[in-house]
Amino acid sequence: MTTDTTPSRLSPIQPGEPAPEFSLPAINDDGTIALAEYRGRSPLFLALFVGLWCPFCRRSIAQMGTIEGRIRAAGVETLGIVASAPENARLYFKYRPTRLRLAADPEMSTHRAYGLPRPEVTPELMDQITAIRINPSGDLPAPLPVQEAAMAIERLDGGFTPTETDQADMQRQWPQLKGQFLVDRHGIVRWANVECGGPDGLAGIGKFPTADEILAAIRALPSW
């Protein structure tokens, strides 16, 4: 048994900073996936998700798979990191395949390395979460309380039966936030988006960048 010694940042990685290295088990490929394999070859759109218990992550992964071709046509590779054991993720994607290349990070070492926040669970936080209404993907008729929105999205996606691993992931991961990073071919972060980090605050729970936002960030990449 190994101990994860990945250092934790106090704030998210910012544009202009080097992207932290990682090497993780592949989910829909053999072997491992490392950030180093993209260096000198291609920019990378990197999305960090929590476990598959999260309906917002499952929907974002599916949506990201539908725009992967447009991102690749713009000269950028895509990679999603899922915070669940490789065998658990492989079981899920066996029945819900995606074009998106995926790696597994059940210990969320990349989340810590990239400085993604994990808010402290306090009565004040719970009161705020109870009060907000969300419609993260715009697919609901109207914004709903967080739990109701999660259940509504699960129904839209045909339902989900969590495994014991999914349930354990939820217990130890919530309320870890997610993020997306655009890394240039030299390994420098050029764009970053952190869940709940924008003007919406907590009302941004579950939001994922639109295709237009991602492609605009790609067009702004340096040409060198």
Side-chain angles (χ1 to χ4, degrees):
M1 179 176 176
T2 59
T3 301
D4 183 6
T5 58
T6 305
S8 299
R9 282 179 57 104
L10 297 178
S11 60
I13 289 285
Q14 297 297 310
E17 295 187 86
E21 300 289 340
F22 58 79
S23 181
L24 300 166
I27 292 173
N28 43 12
D29 295 304
D30 294 327
T32 59
I33 299 174
L35 180 64
E37 70 184 77
Y38 297 94
R39 187 171 294 108
R41 181 172 66 84
S42 171
L44 176 67
F45 179 74
L46 176 66
L48 276 60
F49 303 100
V50 293
L52 294 165
W53 58 268
C54 171
F56 308 123
C57 291
R58 298 196 306 272
R59 169 150 285 222
S60 295
I61 289 169
Q63 292 175 331
M64 194 171 162
T66 66
I67 64 171
E68 182 271 343
R70 295 175 64 187
I71 295 174
R72 182 161 29 87
V76 176
E77 300 288 336
T78 57
L79 176 65
I81 294 179
V82 179
S84 193
E87 58 274 15
N88 187 63
R90 288 176 189 134
L91 177 64
Y92 175 83
F93 290 106
K94 176 182 178 180
Y95 296 101
R96 300 197 184 214
T98 175
R99 296 179 181 178
L100 179 62
R101 194 180 190 201
L102 297 167
D105 183 10
E107 301 306 320
M108 300 191 300
S109 60
T110 44
H111 296 70
R112 294 194 298 279
Y114 281 72
L116 292 179
R118 184 176 181 179
E120 180 183 358
V121 179
T122 63
E124 292 76 18
L125 176 67
M126 297 307 298
D127 287 344
Q128 292 174 38
I129 291 175
T130 300
I132 62 175
R133 300 293 183 268
I134 64 170
N135 186 4
S137 58
D139 294 318
L140 304 177
L144 296 172
V146 173
Q147 189 60 34
E148 291 182 30
M151 292 188 294
I153 286 175
E154 286 195 353
R155 289 193 295 270
L156 287 175
D157 290 343
F160 173 71
T161 302
T163 65
E164 290 184 3
T165 299
D166 296 322
Q167 293 170 338
D169 286 345
M170 178 177 65
Q171 291 298 321
R172 65 190 179 84
Q173 292 175 1
W174 190 85
Q176 174 67 56
L177 300 181
K178 289 82 77 178
Q180 303 81 40
F181 303 88
L182 186 59
V183 183
D184 71 16
R185 67 180 70 250
H186 304 290
I188 303 300
V189 172
R190 295 299 176 184
W191 174 89
N193 179 72
V194 176
E195 183 182 25
C196 301
D200 291 339
L202 279 179
I205 287 175
K207 288 187 73 173
F208 193 82
T210 66
D212 288 344
E213 289 170 333
I214 295 169
L215 292 170
I218 290 172
R219 287 193 293 269
L221 278 173
S223 58
W224 39 265

